[in-house]
Amino acid sequence: MARIGVFICHCGENIASTVDCGKVAEISSKIPGVVFSTDYKYMCSDPGQTLIKDAIKKYKLTGVVVGACSPRMHEPTFRKVVASEGINPFFCEMANIREHCSWVHPKGEETTQKAADTIRILVEKVRNNEPLYPIKVPVTKRALVIGGGIAGIQASLDIANAGNEVILIEKEPSIGGHMAQLSETFPTLDCSQCILTPRMVEVAQHPNITLMSYSEVESLEGFIGNFKATIRKKARFINEELCNGCGDCTLKCPIKKIPDEFNAEMGKRPAIYVPFPQAVPNKPVIDKDNCTHFKNGKCQFCKTNCSAGAIDFDQQDQLITVDVGAIVVATGFTIKGTDFFPEYGYGKYKDVVTGLQFERLLSSSGPTLGEVRRPSDGKVPKKVVFIACAGSRDPAKGIEYCSKICCMYTAKHAMLYKHKVPDGEADIFYMDIRAGGKNYEEFVRRAVEEDDVNYIRGRVSKVYEKNGKLIVRGVDTLLNSTPVEIEADMVVLATASVAHSDAESLAQKLHISYDSYNFFSEAHPKLRPVETNTAGITLAGACQAPKDIPESVAQASAAASKTIALFSQDLLTREPIIAVSNKSTCVGCFLCQSVCPYLAIEREEIKDRNGNIIKTVASINSGLCQGCGTCVAFCRSKSIDLQGYTNNQVFSEVSALFERSEEYV
Amino acid sequence: MSEFEPKIVAFVCNWCTYAGADLAGTSRIKYAQNVRIVRFPCTGRIDFMLLLKAFEEGADGIIVSGCHPADCHYTSGNYHARRRWMVFKDLLDFIGIDSRRIVFSWVSAAEGAKWAHLVNDTVSEIRNLGPMKEYKNLENVSSNKIGELIND
């Protein structure tokens, strides 16, 4: 027989000003099963907690209902109180009579009645509660980091330096990401590769890090502490163990005119190539689609010239399964593609380039070895127009957000251009200059004041060619919206940063949520900016939203610290709010399996003593189940129940919704 | 006779609508007192038999509300709830319950004001529809009478 205590909190005046707490306690005392009820000014305070503890002892309570604030606020507090008196904490429920009652209704009888009703509903729930115990699961102390840009590199190093194993996978042939493509970085004008490549080498040489380049996630199963990831190691047609990275093959390849991805297609590369000289690992890869051998079998130049005998045309993709305990997703971003700006003539005029392409022109390792030469005729442009917010903050283009990095890199581009072409002119069309960040505003001022960069506030409507010049037609909104036309030699678009085209499919493989722009979603925008809603998976860098390098690195270290904290435990404790199946009534229709978002429902064969299968039933993997209860609502034979929200509990809550009127008694 | 005060039950998910109702509270947005809230982990958990049960218990109107599409804490529970609701609606027609008595909505944890509007709108809608009599009429039909009806 249940012996339930009801404790009504005044919350100072917060509840008591509109709800008659004494009356609620009095009404509650008449609910069947309630043996004690009282009200007190601050139930969460120390004396309030003592009051509950004393009542539990004195009245031998078996369950407690606290009528106070939202359970989202103080449920843990009161469950701890109850547990300290030896009662299973899940026999404590909170009735929300503050947020859902006293704060939203005027003082009066009806408000008091609503509070009393809320108590009655929860008393009915507690009467049907069952003891629950936290679930313990072991932890595999090995992390999977997806993406080898600066965020993935930083996270890997941090986790590995704390003594844990890391598997870093990168889909491109080399790690480095976008940062490896940059010339110099704002606001200090550090050489990007000079600060990045030592980190890349550190990753490759770290005893705790296994680097898998040219690899992608194929699938993911499991749960926090116990993931099983299948990784597709794409065939690079090179035996990495034999290859010594001499690079002879890349020189001998007769195909030489393939647009070079690393140079943002501003340069050319052969069919067997190393993306860039400092690549890690420094092993080439054969681009199967463009290789003559794979097209018609006629060419073997690389193979015959490889002194190490490392070329292996028969190599196949490998699927490798690894056990990991945590995952850091650091897959980064991409920039909007070629056909996105017909009005700016992108794709039509060779001298209209993206910011990333201009970056390669500025880079000393780029196709022009750092000289600014325009793509069409190789001449040094004397007038360059930069267009900020190309696509970003433009609802008409479907990208309403700010790409965040463009203001700064556009200022940097204009500044570097002026350093390289001192007699050139740089004009920037902008909407706003967003230079929030340490030393960022000063950097923009420097571009204007020291390097004579001309900022024009306004949008560009059109770019077209006339007499060998690019005419940029825009407006200057600071000069009374005067139309402006500039004859430029080159136009640089600060195109919007967007999520990778395969971000959505990766999110689905990992079971993490993503927003309407396909950026991955954090668990809470303010308080859990690093974790995803899937326990054990964290985010780092621009896969979550556009970010600059310092922010990506900071988030990567944060993700690493979350991972290290997880790995510091030998066993994980989870809330026992999970589904359980009744294997004797389950008929094995597996409707539940088809609706489970976590693939937590497994088929279990029930066998007789001779080993013959009698039936196949649903069995719930308590590690995977997150406790949404969707399976419970779908189960036709009521063979699945959700602990903490059992059918018994919720149906009796509904039965207690209203005080039964005469006609029902 | 005083104005009819409908009894409303709200079945809400813990992560979005319950938190949205909390926000209405912390923002002190006033709304009608007629609603009683039952908390679920997810709208996907809401067995729609509970809705019928609530009517049986005397509810005049029901709100089912969870996370917006694509916002579900459990990835897809809200879609299953929506799918179930589409089917359930037909069943309501079949058993003779006005489907306007059930309001299906999305209220996020940031939409305290929307929650208040939802409750108020539902209360006035149900007030117009009048008390829910269908079940009460059924209770008056004694088992003998049902037998007669069947024999006829």
Side-chain angles (χ1 to χ4, degrees):
Chain A
M1 186 63 199
R3 297 177 60 82
I4 296 165
V6 175
F7 301 86
I8 312 294
C9 178
H10 293 204
C11 195
E13 282 293 300
N14 281 310
I15 296 172
S17 64
T18 55
V19 171
D20 184 344
C21 295
K23 193 168 174 204
V24 174
E26 190 198 317
I27 298 172
S28 305
S29 69
K30 292 174 188 146
I31 305 170
V34 173
V35 293
F36 175 74
S37 74
T38 188
D39 57 310
Y40 184 70
K41 203 155 183 79
Y42 288 106
M43 210 52 93
C44 60
S45 68
D46 206 33
Q49 295 189 21
T50 310
L51 188 153
I52 298 176
K53 288 179 193 173
D54 290 346
I56 291 174
K57 278 194 271 262
K58 188 170 174 194
Y59 298 96
K60 299 192 170 56
L61 301 181
T62 59
V64 164
V65 173
V66 183
C69 51
S70 171
R72 299 169 62 87
M73 176 108 186
H74 269 315
E75 195 173 68
T77 314
F78 291 112
R79 286 199 163 158
K80 244 180 241 165
V81 171
V82 169
S84 75
E85 286 305 312
I87 301 178
N88 186 285
F90 291 89
F91 280 98
C92 170
E93 295 284 349
M94 287 191 73
N96 187 341
I97 59 168
R98 191 179 75 175
E99 281 86 345
H100 289 187
C101 189
S102 73
W103 274 352
V104 289
H105 304 314
K107 183 177 177 150
E109 230 169 83
E110 282 171 13
T111 305
T112 300
Q113 184 58 46
K114 180 173 175 181
D117 286 350
T118 312
I119 302 285
R120 191 180 55 243
I121 294 167
L122 272 307
V123 166
E124 215 47 54
K125 185 174 184 199
V126 171
R127 268 152 63 95
N128 288 283
N129 277 8
E130 279 160 24
L132 299 176
Y133 302 94
I135 299 165
K136 303 261 186 202
V137 282
V139 184
T140 307
K141 296 184 181 180
R142 185 185 299 123
L144 174 68
V145 177
I146 307 171
I150 184 59
I153 289 172
Q154 181 69 36
S156 300
L157 288 173
D158 284 357
I159 298 169
N161 286 338
N164 304 295
E165 282 181 55
V166 175
I167 296 168
L168 172 61
I169 65 169
E170 165 59 48
K171 73 172 170 184
E172 301 295 335
S174 167
I175 58 170
H178 282 303
M179 189 173 168
Q181 292 176 287
L182 307 184
S183 54
E184 290 169 18
T185 55
F186 61 79
T188 48
L189 297 187
D190 279 307
C191 152
S192 183
Q193 294 208 333
C194 312
I195 53 178
L196 175 68
T197 47
R199 296 290 179 97
M200 292 162 59
V201 173
E202 204 183 330
V203 163
Q205 295 176 345
H206 203 293
N208 286 346
I209 299 179
T210 308
L211 173 61
M212 293 174 71
S213 64
Y214 216 44
S215 301
E216 291 184 59
V217 174
E218 181 79 4
S219 64
L220 181 76
E221 291 168 37
F223 51 94
I224 180 169
N226 298 274
F227 292 107
K228 203 177 266 297
T230 306
I231 296 162
R232 176 175 293 272
K233 194 171 187 323
K234 295 180 280 188
R236 62 201 298 157
F237 306 106
I238 307 290
N239 184 327
E240 284 179 77
E241 279 167 22
L242 295 179
C243 174
N244 55 22
C246 70
D248 282 350
C249 51
T250 62
L251 300 174
K252 294 284 162 29
C253 181
I255 312 279
K256 294 202 187 300
K257 298 244 161 136
I258 304 161
D260 183 355
E261 296 87 354
F262 180 75
N263 279 324
E265 308 193 340
M266 299 295 278
K268 304 282 185 231
R269 62 161 173 82
I272 180 166
Y273 68 106
V274 177
F276 54 102
Q278 304 94 323
V280 171
N282 195 3
K283 312 271 158 114
V285 55
I286 295 178
D287 172 3
K288 197 178 171 185
D289 296 337
N290 290 303
C291 170
T292 314
H293 178 82
F294 284 100
K295 278 183 180 160
N296 53 29
K298 282 185 182 156
C299 175
Q300 293 222 358
F301 269 119
C302 52
K303 189 164 185 171
T304 46
N305 283 290
C306 179
S307 54
I311 310 283
D312 176 5
F313 291 122
D314 299 324
Q315 204 174 57
Q316 301 289 324
D317 287 7
Q318 275 177 282
L319 288 178
I320 298 165
T321 303
V322 290
D323 289 317
V324 292
I327 296 168
V328 178
V329 186
T331 50
F333 70 105
T334 185
I335 56 168
K336 210 53 194 166
T338 50
D339 49 354
F340 202 59
F341 306 97
E343 68 275 33
Y344 296 157
Y346 192 112
K348 195 155 118 201
Y349 310 128
K350 280 187 172 169
D351 295 332
V352 178
V353 299
T354 65
L356 196 57
Q357 291 177 319
F358 196 68
E359 197 77 52
R360 293 311 299 152
L361 292 180
L362 292 169
S363 169
S364 52
S365 70
T368 56
L369 301 177
E371 285 182 45
V372 181
R373 291 185 177 278
R374 60 185 206 169
S376 61
D377 53 11
K379 284 188 187 151
V380 176
K382 291 296 177 194
K383 192 160 184 71
V384 180
V385 172
F386 297 86
I387 303 176
C389 294
S392 312
R393 302 176 67 197
D394 188 348
K397 287 277 185 196
I399 300 173
E400 294 186 38
Y401 58 85
C402 165
S403 289
K404 202 165 185 181
I405 53 176
C406 329
C407 283
M408 292 308 297
Y409 79 59
T410 299
K412 177 191 78 178
H413 284 168
M415 196 187 258
L416 291 177
Y417 164 70
K418 292 284 288 188
H419 292 176
K420 290 182 190 266
V421 188
D423 60 336
E425 279 180 52
D427 295 319
I428 299 178
F429 280 94
Y430 72 102
M431 280 205 238
D432 298 292
I433 302 173
R434 296 188 165 175
K438 192 171 179 177
N439 293 327
Y440 285 12
E441 178 64 21
E442 296 92 317
F443 182 79
V444 175
R445 294 303 328 157
R446 226 169 92 202
V448 176
E449 286 163 12
E450 290 177 22
D451 293 307
D452 253 349
V453 174
N454 181 28
Y455 273 83
I456 306 163
R457 189 179 187 279
R459 307 288 319 256
V460 172
S461 63
K462 198 174 179 185
V463 176
Y464 60 98
E465 207 171 36
K466 196 168 146 191
N467 304 331
K469 292 276 187 185
L470 291 165
I471 313 295
V472 181
R473 184 185 283 171
V475 66
D476 188 337
T477 54
L478 294 183
L479 284 178
N480 214 5
S481 297
T482 319
V484 185
E485 274 200 359
I486 298 175
E487 285 189 8
D489 297 319
M490 200 170 168
V491 173
V492 182
L493 305 180
T495 54
S497 302
V498 293
H500 280 295
S501 57
D502 58 355
E504 190 176 5
S505 79
L506 179 66
Q508 285 167 354
K509 278 178 198 165
L510 301 176
H511 310 293
I512 59 175
S513 39
Y514 49 97
D515 64 19
S516 54
Y517 303 108
N518 289 352
F519 286 117
F520 303 141
S521 302
E522 62 282 7
H524 188 281
K526 301 250 177 260
L527 302 178
R528 294 172 70 198
V530 181
E531 297 142 276
T532 63
N533 267 332
T534 303
I537 304 185
T538 47
L539 302 174
C543 61
Q544 180 202 13
K547 282 194 188 75
D548 59 18
I549 294 168
E551 277 184 296
S552 297
V553 171
Q555 197 187 14
S557 286
S561 87
K562 289 281 172 199
T563 307
I564 296 164
L566 173 68
F567 289 172
S568 69
Q569 306 167 71
D570 293 320
L571 286 174
L572 296 178
T573 308
R574 293 194 45 218
E575 274 250 302
I577 307 299
I578 55 162
V580 284
S581 68
N582 180 340
K583 285 163 196 166
S584 55
T585 57
C586 175
V587 295
C589 70
F590 291 103
L591 198 58
C592 49
Q593 202 176 36
S594 64
V595 299
C596 178
Y598 301 100
L599 311 175
I601 296 173
E602 293 160 1
R603 286 165 183 266
E604 184 183 325
E605 291 172 346
I606 308 277
K607 293 176 180 167
D608 65 12
R609 68 182 72 172
N610 300 322
N612 302 317
I613 297 164
I614 303 170
K615 65 173 183 175
T616 311
V617 295
S619 161
I620 286 136
N621 182 323
S622 59
L624 286 174
C625 177
Q626 300 285 316
C628 67
T630 303
C631 54
V632 181
F634 269 92
C635 183
R636 290 162 172 158
S637 58
K638 293 275 164 283
S639 300
I640 303 187
D641 221 340
L642 181 65
Q643 296 191 149
Y645 294 90
T646 61
N647 283 324
N648 258 348
Q649 286 171 310
V650 295
F651 274 93
S652 49
E653 277 184 84
V654 171
S655 309
L657 276 171
F658 309 105
E659 272 184 296
R660 292 213 156 201
S661 56
E662 302 268 318
E663 55 184 305
Y664 280 96
V665 177
Chain B
M1 195 186 135
S2 64
E3 198 178 14
F4 159 62
E5 280 301 335
K7 293 173 178 170
I8 312 288
V9 188
F11 294 97
V12 304
C13 83
N14 179 44
W15 305 98
C16 291
T17 306
Y18 195 91
D22 274 1
L23 180 64
T26 43
S27 323
R28 312 293 201 276
I29 302 168
K30 301 281 184 254
Y31 57 86
Q33 289 137 319
N34 311 44
V35 68
R36 303 289 178 268
I37 295 173
V38 185
R39 178 162 75 133
F40 289 85
C42 178
T43 43
R45 165 67 184 93
I46 300 170
D47 183 342
F48 278 27
M49 288 304 287
L50 285 162
L51 275 56
L52 294 180
K53 180 78 180 160
F55 280 134
E56 190 188 318
E57 293 297 327
D60 299 302
I62 293 172
I63 295 169
V64 178
S65 178
C67 305
H68 283 267
D71 269 358
C72 179
H73 181 79
Y74 302 103
T75 325
S76 58
N78 55 352
Y79 292 127
H80 290 302
R82 178 169 66 182
R83 201 184 298 173
R84 212 178 298 131
W85 166 231
M86 298 316 288
V87 178
F88 189 67
K89 224 168 159 175
D90 284 347
L91 180 71
L92 288 180
D93 291 341
F94 177 73
I95 58 181
I97 295 175
D98 193 331
S99 61
R100 285 175 297 176
R101 289 192 183 275
I102 302 180
V103 178
F104 197 92
S105 182
W106 323 109
V107 173
S108 81
E111 295 176 325
K114 188 181 173 189
W115 167 252
H117 283 303
L118 175 66
V119 172
N120 286 338
D121 292 351
T122 309
V123 168
S124 59
E125 167 90 4
I126 304 297
R127 194 173 277 142
N128 290 337
L129 289 175
M132 163 89 186
K133 286 193 188 125
E134 287 83 347
Y135 267 71
K136 292 171 186 111
N137 289 344
L138 271 182
E139 292 225 340
N140 292 334
V141 182
S142 67
S143 50
N144 286 342
K145 199 158 181 198
I146 292 176
E148 281 170 31
L149 286 171
I150 292 170
N151 289 334
D152 286 349

